[in-house]
């Protein structure tokens, strides 16, 4: 059965049936239920071309990834985000269009997408501090949502983000409560907005305890396993080695753990590690007692929520920007314990 036949059966116009199937707000709930029940009864699956004709939209969502050696976008965490967003797109009748472009061509590519009407909305990935893409997309008038936030941007815009500052403030305080005073921060690229917020949370916790920030204990780079290993290996070999690491990714944390092992130390006893754990579906930090202590968030759920916000913006133009701030949960695992000085006091007492 095609759209025309289903419309004739229901005595409704094809446009009304299409809008009911795609959740448009101008269709009454009674009509929507009637259409959905008939579609299920007759095993009707909407054709993408028919949807485009009926709605006047492309029925596609664009994800544009800049191609660069200095971007943390195409990684295992991104795959989980796309999986979550894709579930919502498919359920709502939208296709996902993934494009990879050179950094220098990114602005032109966005403008071309807008001019040709290739997509109905866009997702902005990897926002940097003062990210120029936000003002540009606002000027183009195309619906978009930022995965993360960008500091130093005056324009209001829709975003969904983890409360990175609070998460790393809390994680640093957890280590301080265990007696650690020399805590290394293995962070992402310095101009990525999430990395700045995590640094501010870490710095604020130290400041409240009267501990000055030691720049030698702060590292910034793309969050790979090798980066985690090389950073921890270097710091552990220094004369003022840290007793704890706060790591911005479970991927880099695997490298930190390898460096601790190579140094002949025991994670959770000699050296403590707290991570930001994105709760990946295929790389889980779970169990009765997880391997790592971490501030946990689900990137897959973030993808789902962002897709909901974007589709709502497409269907309801003119509404104010939406902001979704997700809190991370602190989960205690095997990777943390009292600082060596505190451990000796506890053992003696």
């Amino acid at each position: 059965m095609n759209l025309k036949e289903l419309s004739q059966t229901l005595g409704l116009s094809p446009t009304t049936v299409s809008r009911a199937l795609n959740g448009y707000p101008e269709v009454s709930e009674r009509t929507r239920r009637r259409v959905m029940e008939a579609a299920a009864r007759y095993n009707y699956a909407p054709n993408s071309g028919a949807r485009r004709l009926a709605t006047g939209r492309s029925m596609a969502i664009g994800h544009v990834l800049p191609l660069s050696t200095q971007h943390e976008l195409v990684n295992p965490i991104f795959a989980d985000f796309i999986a979550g967003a894709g579930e919502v797109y498919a359920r709502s009748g939208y296709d996902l269009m993934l494009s990879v472009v050179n950094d220098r061509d990114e602005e032109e590519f966005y403008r071309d997408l807008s001019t040709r009407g290739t997509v109905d909305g866009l997702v902005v990935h990897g926002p940097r501090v003062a990210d120029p893409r936000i003002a540009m997309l606002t000027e183009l008038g195309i619906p978009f949502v930022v995965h993360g936030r960008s500091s130093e941007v005056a324009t209001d815009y829709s975003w969904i983000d983890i409360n990175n500052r609070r998460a790393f403030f809390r994680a640093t305080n957890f280590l301080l409560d265990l007696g650690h005073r020399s805590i290394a921060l293995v962070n992402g690229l310095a101009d990525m907005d999430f990395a700045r917020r995590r640094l501010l949370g870490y710095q604020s916790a130290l400041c409240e305890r009267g501990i000055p920030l030691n720049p030698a204990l702060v590292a910034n780079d793309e969050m790979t396993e090798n980066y985690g290993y090389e950073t921890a290996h270097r710091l552990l070999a220094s004369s003022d080695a840290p007793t704890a690491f706060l790591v911005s990714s479970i991927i880099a944390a695997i490298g930190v753990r390898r460096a601790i092992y190579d140094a002949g130390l025991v994670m959770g006893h000699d050296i403590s590690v707290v991570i930001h754990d994105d709760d990946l579906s295929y790389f889980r930090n779970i169990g009765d007692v997880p391997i790592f202590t971490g501030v946990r968030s689900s990137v897959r759920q973030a993808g789902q929520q962002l897709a909901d916000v974007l589709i709502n913006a497409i269907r309801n133009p003119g509404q104010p920007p939406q902001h979704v701030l997700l809190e991370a949960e602190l989960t205690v695992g095997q990777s943390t314990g009292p600082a060596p000085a505190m451990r000796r006091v506890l053992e003696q007492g």
Side-chain angles (χ1 to χ4, degrees):
M1 175 175 282
N2 59 33
L3 179 65
K4 182 178 180 181
E5 291 169 336
L6 180 63
S7 303
Q8 290 174 342
T9 300
L10 290 166
L12 299 170
S13 71
T15 299
T16 299
V17 171
S18 178
R19 289 179 176 274
L21 290 168
N22 286 287
Y24 282 74
E26 58 265 33
V27 179
S28 70
E29 187 58 34
R30 179 181 178 183
T31 299
R32 192 189 326 278
R33 282 199 305 268
R34 183 179 166 214
V35 171
M36 296 299 289
E37 289 169 1
R41 184 163 61 250
Y42 295 113
N43 295 317
Y44 170 75
N47 174 272
S48 59
R51 287 200 308 268
R52 293 183 179 97
L53 287 172
T55 63
R57 293 176 174 157
S58 68
M59 301 307 294
I61 304 294
H63 291 251
V64 180
L65 302 182
L67 183 63
S68 169
T69 58
Q70 285 294 300
H71 284 284
E72 302 173 326
L73 298 182
V74 184
N75 56 35
I77 295 170
F78 177 74
D80 245 31
F81 178 86
I82 285 292
E87 292 173 7
V88 178
Y89 298 155
R91 188 168 62 243
S92 304
Y94 284 84
D95 296 325
L96 188 157
M97 190 186 83
L98 183 62
S99 304
V100 180
V101 300
N102 289 321
D103 276 347
R104 62 181 180 274
D105 300 327
E106 190 176 3
E107 179 174 346
E108 181 182 350
F109 189 80
Y110 278 123
R111 293 187 182 281
D112 186 54
L113 286 178
S114 176
T115 301
R116 291 190 290 115
T118 308
V119 296
D120 295 322
L122 287 162
V123 177
V124 176
H125 292 281
R128 296 178 180 273
V129 175
D131 198 307
R133 293 175 294 176
I134 294 170
M136 180 189 64
L137 290 172
T138 301
E139 174 196 336
L140 291 174
I142 186 170
F144 71 94
V145 180
V146 180
H147 181 206
R149 283 177 285 173
S150 179
S151 306
E152 301 177 15
V153 170
T155 306
D156 195 11
Y157 58 94
S158 292
W159 52 260
I160 180 168
D161 196 14
I162 299 295
N163 195 338
N164 286 293
R165 180 167 181 162
R166 178 180 169 86
F168 275 60
F169 177 84
R170 188 178 182 190
T172 305
N173 268 315
F174 177 80
L175 289 169
L176 292 168
D177 288 342
L178 288 172
H180 296 281
R181 294 297 179 267
S182 181
I183 303 170
L185 174 63
V186 183
N187 206 356
L189 292 165
D191 63 344
M192 301 297 280
D193 197 82
F194 76 86
R196 173 187 275 199
R197 293 178 189 275
R198 292 176 183 182
L199 172 62
L200 289 173
Y202 162 82
Q203 187 174 6
S204 295
L206 294 176
C207 183
E208 285 193 4
R209 302 290 184 101
I211 301 170
L213 176 69
N214 181 356
L217 293 179
V218 177
N220 295 96
D221 208 334
E222 188 172 356
M223 294 189 296
T224 63
E225 191 274 348
N226 188 63
Y227 160 57
Y229 175 82
E230 293 292 343
T231 301
H233 178 75
R234 171 176 55 81
L235 290 174
L236 290 172
S238 67
S239 58
D240 188 22
T243 62
F245 287 85
L246 179 54
V247 190
S248 270
S249 165
I250 190 172
I251 298 169
I254 298 298
V256 172
R257 182 174 67 168
R258 180 161 64 93
I260 292 170
Y261 177 82
D262 284 358
L265 303 171
V266 177
M267 185 176 73
H269 185 274
D270 303 306
I271 302 290
S272 287
V273 178
V274 176
I275 71 169
H276 178 75
D277 170 19
D278 285 287
D279 193 20
L280 303 179
S281 59
Y282 50 87
F283 194 19
R284 309 300 295 275
N285 179 37
I286 58 175
D288 292 338
V289 183
I291 294 174
F292 290 106
T293 294
V295 280
R296 174 177 297 178
S297 66
S298 171
V299 70
R300 192 184 191 101
Q301 290 180 8
Q304 293 169 342
Q305 290 181 264
L306 182 143
D308 281 330
V309 170
L310 182 52
I311 290 172
N312 184 50
I314 293 168
R315 291 175 174 171
N316 300 281
Q319 68 175 358
Q322 302 298 300
H323 309 143
V324 180
L325 186 60
L326 306 173
E327 296 293 342
E329 175 188 8
L330 178 65
T331 303
V332 179
Q334 304 171 41
S335 65
T336 49
M342 181 179 285
R343 187 182 297 277
R344 287 193 292 271
V345 171
L346 293 173
E347 290 172 350
Q348 293 170 1

